[in-house]
Amino acid sequence: MRLLSVIGACALLVSVPSLASAQASQKFAFVNSQALLQSAPGRADAEASFEKDMVGIRTQLSKLQDSLNTMNEAFAKEEVSLSPAAKEARLKTMREKEQAWGAQAQKLQAQAQERQEELMAPIMENLRKVLDDVRMDGGYSFIFDVAAGAFIVSADKNLDITDRVLAKMRLSAPKAAPTRPAPAAGPTSAPAGITKKPPTE
């Protein structure tokens, strides 16, 4: 699971009207939001913090998966010796534990998502502010994002202000997000039938 995986294409720029509707006197520029996010100050520290926090979550998910596999293997070995009533009772217990495992896994995934958003929030806020400042300082009517779509097929490279925005971001970079302990371990028992694995890189 990567920190920037939940960000995707940069959604920080507002929708802009078509160039055909813009007046000739208006001033334009463009940036590459993917390059900005990749090199954004604080991004490396945020990702390092995220990976550190995910160790605990991945450990818990791994334990849940191990419990699931153990229960599945035990049932497979004992199934032939179980009476119909005992088999049905075992399956019922397994289904209940499967639901409990699923609920715990969803909770852990939600914690990971929340942490991602928490770490990226100051970086995204800084980027939005810098874009607004650069737009006003440069007298631009619009700043387009060439990473957001392919509707711009050719452009003057002198209109690319990505480096200017990045330099200003570095000057106004927010402090690193605070670290916090990994979530406490939850239930580790799990039933057979679930093959979901912990998040991977």
Side-chain angles (χ1 to χ4, degrees), residues 46-186:
E47 183 153 329
S49 295
F50 177 76
E51 289 302 317
K52 181 179 180 180
D53 292 343
M54 288 307 99
V55 171
I57 287 180
R58 291 193 181 103
T59 298
Q60 292 178 62
L61 288 172
S62 179
K63 288 180 178 179
L64 289 170
Q65 184 69 48
D66 290 344
S67 295
L68 179 152
N69 293 337
T70 298
M71 180 174 287
N72 188 34
E73 293 170 0
F75 178 74
K77 292 178 180 178
E78 300 169 8
E79 182 179 7
V80 294
S81 63
L82 296 175
S83 66
K87 181 178 179 180
E88 180 59 31
R90 176 73 72 84
L91 289 172
K92 181 176 182 296
T93 298
M94 291 168 66
R95 285 192 295 268
E96 291 173 350
K97 289 188 176 182
E98 176 180 337
Q99 293 176 354
W101 184 90
Q104 179 67 9
Q106 288 179 359
K107 180 180 179 180
L108 292 171
Q109 295 284 2
Q111 290 175 348
Q113 178 69 23
E114 180 182 354
R115 185 55 173 157
Q116 283 182 321
E117 294 173 356
E118 178 184 358
L119 288 165
M120 284 302 297
I123 296 174
M124 297 299 290
E125 182 179 354
N126 184 42
L127 181 47
R128 291 188 185 96
K129 182 180 183 303
V130 168
L131 282 168
D132 280 340
D133 290 345
V134 170
R135 180 183 59 78
M136 290 186 290
D137 293 343
Y140 300 110
S141 298
F142 303 107
I143 297 178
F144 294 91
D145 181 12
V146 296
F151 63 93
I152 298 179
V153 295
S154 180
D156 184 346
K157 292 184 178 180
N158 291 323
L159 299 179
D160 185 353
I161 61 172
T162 301
D163 290 341
R164 188 189 312 174
V165 171
L166 183 57
K168 192 173 181 65
M169 285 178 67
R170 287 170 176 160
L171 291 175
S172 59
K175 294 181 180 180
T179 58
R180 64 183 185 186

